[in-house]
Amino acid sequence: MGSLDDFNIDDLRDKIDKIDTSLVSLFENRMEVVLKIAEYKKNNSMPILNESREQVVIKKNLELVKNKDLFSEVEEFFKSVMEISRGFQNKTLNNDIILDPGKKLTVGFYGVTGSFSEQALKEYFGEKVDTKAISEFEDIFLELKYGKINYGVIPIENSSTGAISEVYDLLNKYDFCITGEKYLKISQNLMGIKGSTLDNIKEVYSHPQGIEQSMEFLKGYKQWKLIPYKSTAKSAELVKNRNDKTMAAIASIKAAEIYDLEILQTNVNSNSTNTTRFVVIGKEMESNAQNNKTSLVLSTTHKAGSLYHVLKHFAENNINLMKIESRPIKDKPWEYFFYIDFQGNIKEAKIVSAIKLIKENSRYFKILGNYRSEIINIE
């Protein structure tokens, strides 16, 4: 290696300029290909983020590094390139909607017209979207996967009856993100066809949670047969179609109006503050400075203290842990996925630090979304 006197600063700067010129040209070429990939992903309803593919690309390029002292720098370089590429793809896909003002978003909701999910959808998105009723939880994810809807609205938990387990499992199964949430005060009502009375009723239909939320009222009528059904609004529709005075449904007042049913008893839910949390799911994580809530799912090794070594990072980073929900791992008896909600924006320094440590101490880790919460404020 030559001495410092052997180098001319102007010559070195000239070399840098030439290398930068090549880098710019190569970068433009790369982003042109990235744009084509974005278009392909959009047409085939694929998510932007593919972590396994990114890891393969980074590993492959690290194997080409001759100067091992630059190993970590090359790794950081490609991570930055990947992040820029994702941002460019997201911007391109989002601009397609903005540049086409005649194109409405289509948002799917669980249940049928008159459901609480539809009400949550309209309160969250307003009236300027097309809506689509979807009868099964998983079908919402499938419709999103195949590009038939842009977003889905789905109930995830109730203040009286707790979590909807199937929805948690589906959030982990599919590579979509929570992009928003809506809390809706739920008033359950008993209804039947015109002319029916409480004395006529023999069967009551509702979603299992609708029945459970109204159990104190229903205990007063032990002669009624309680029949779980697909949704509260679907139950109202069934009672209308059967036109049978012995059948009743527990559903919303809106459902009674839509299906022309008579309210036999209002507010049959046991808890006067009965509230359901709905989440909005989309294909991509939506970055926004106003996002103040993060959801993730993880699993730990089946050893004493494993969960503690994950949860301690919330306290050590002064992060408000809002909720933790466990779900069994299929084919692994007594092992669990832990679904965690906590306060904070995913780009905050303390959140970045905590997530890094949590991921390192987890056997499985996946961020489900970073979005704006209705019930917390960051000071």
Side-chain angles (χ1 to χ4, degrees), residues 114-121 184-188 232 251-252 278:
S115 69
F116 292 113
S117 294
E118 183 187 35
Q119 184 180 342
L121 182 159
L184 196 66
K185 189 171 181 180
I186 303 296
S187 173
Q188 301 286 12
T232 54
S252 68
F278 296 83

Side-chain angles (χ1 to χ4, degrees), residues 17-264:
D17 288 344
K18 289 178 180 178
I19 292 170
D20 287 346
T21 299
S22 297
L23 283 175
V24 170
S25 177
L26 290 170
F27 181 77
E28 287 184 332
N29 290 340
R30 191 183 198 283
M31 297 310 280
E32 286 177 4
V33 177
V34 163
L35 179 58
K36 290 178 181 178
I37 291 174
E39 292 171 349
Y40 180 88
K41 286 181 175 180
K42 179 185 176 184
N43 293 336
N44 290 275
S45 304
M46 297 170 63
I48 293 297
L49 178 59
N50 184 339
E51 290 188 7
S52 60
R53 164 63 182 167
E54 291 192 1
Q55 292 301 319
V56 168
V57 172
I58 291 171
K59 182 180 179 181
K60 179 183 67 177
N61 284 289
L62 286 175
E63 290 172 352
L64 301 175
V65 178
K66 295 179 180 178
N67 184 352
K68 300 306 178 184
D69 291 337
L70 294 174
F71 195 88
S72 61
E73 283 75 14
V74 172
E75 184 177 22
E76 285 300 311
F77 172 76
F78 276 100
K79 284 182 179 179
S80 297
V81 170
M82 296 295 186
E83 184 176 356
I84 292 168
S85 296
R86 287 198 306 272
F88 184 60
Q89 288 178 318
N90 275 319
K91 183 174 72 173
T92 301
L93 294 180
N94 289 338
N95 281 345
D96 284 346
I97 295 174
I98 294 170
L99 293 173
D100 186 1
K103 181 180 179 181
K104 274 188 175 182
L105 290 176
T106 300
V107 183
F109 65 91
Y110 172 67
V112 296
T113 300
S115 69
F116 292 113
S117 294
E118 183 187 35
Q119 184 180 342
L121 182 159
K122 290 184 176 180
E123 290 192 17
Y124 185 89
F125 285 96
E127 299 291 337
K128 295 183 179 180
V129 295
D130 290 328
T131 62
K132 185 174 184 179
I134 300 171
S135 61
E136 301 292 341
F137 286 138
E138 186 160 18
D139 286 344
I140 291 180
F141 289 81
L142 292 172
E143 295 263 317
L144 187 59
K145 178 180 179 179
Y146 295 116
K148 296 180 180 180
I149 58 175
N150 301 102
Y151 294 95
V153 175
I154 194 165
I156 191 169
E157 62 178 321
N158 177 267
S159 61
S160 301
T161 55
I164 301 175
S165 300
E166 183 182 352
V167 174
Y168 277 97
D169 294 341
L170 290 168
L171 285 169
N172 193 19
K173 178 179 178 180
Y174 290 90
D175 290 324
F176 301 134
C177 295
I178 300 174
T179 62
E181 67 178 12
K182 184 68 186 176
Y183 287 82
L184 196 66
K185 189 171 181 180
I186 303 296
S187 173
Q188 301 286 12
N189 306 272
L190 185 72
M191 60 196 68
I193 64 171
K194 301 293 183 180
S196 63
T197 65
L198 293 177
D199 293 334
N200 296 138
I201 297 172
K202 293 181 180 179
E203 298 177 346
V204 176
Y205 293 79
S206 190
H207 187 273
Q209 289 222 347
I211 292 173
E212 190 174 350
Q213 291 164 21
S214 310
M215 193 53 69
E216 287 302 313
F217 168 79
L218 293 170
K219 284 179 181 178
Y221 298 89
K222 294 183 179 180
Q223 71 274 25
W224 293 349
K225 183 178 181 180
L226 308 180
I227 304 175
Y229 201 57
K230 295 179 180 179
S231 72
T232 54
K234 197 75 177 174
S235 299
E237 182 184 49
L238 176 69
V239 170
K240 172 63 177 178
N241 291 339
R242 293 283 181 86
N243 195 35
D244 185 342
K245 289 183 180 181
T246 67
M247 295 173 59
I250 294 175
S252 68
I253 290 178
K254 183 68 175 177
E257 293 172 354
I258 290 171
Y259 298 107
D260 194 29
L261 297 177
E262 191 169 306
I263 299 291
L264 306 177

Side-chain angles (χ1 to χ4, degrees), residues 172 296-300 306-307 310-311 314 324-325 327 329 336-340 358-359 361-366 368:
N172 193 19
L296 58 81
V297 57
L298 58 85
S299 68
T300 63
S306 295
L307 184 57
V310 168
L311 297 181
F314 291 103
I324 182 167
E325 186 80 31
R327 291 288 301 142
I329 299 177
Y336 300 89
F337 286 118
F338 297 99
Y339 294 82
I340 297 172
I358 291 166
K359 189 173 183 179
N361 285 277
S362 300
R363 182 171 61 185
Y364 173 86
F365 178 90
K366 178 182 177 182
L368 297 175

Side-chain angles (χ1 to χ4, degrees), residues 313 316-319 342-357:
H313 298 300
E316 290 175 353
N317 286 277
N318 195 31
I319 297 171
F342 59 92
Q343 185 174 340
N345 189 293
I346 203 168
K347 292 187 176 180
E348 290 180 69
K350 68 177 183 179
I351 303 296
V352 172
S353 176
I355 286 177
K356 181 177 182 295
L357 293 168

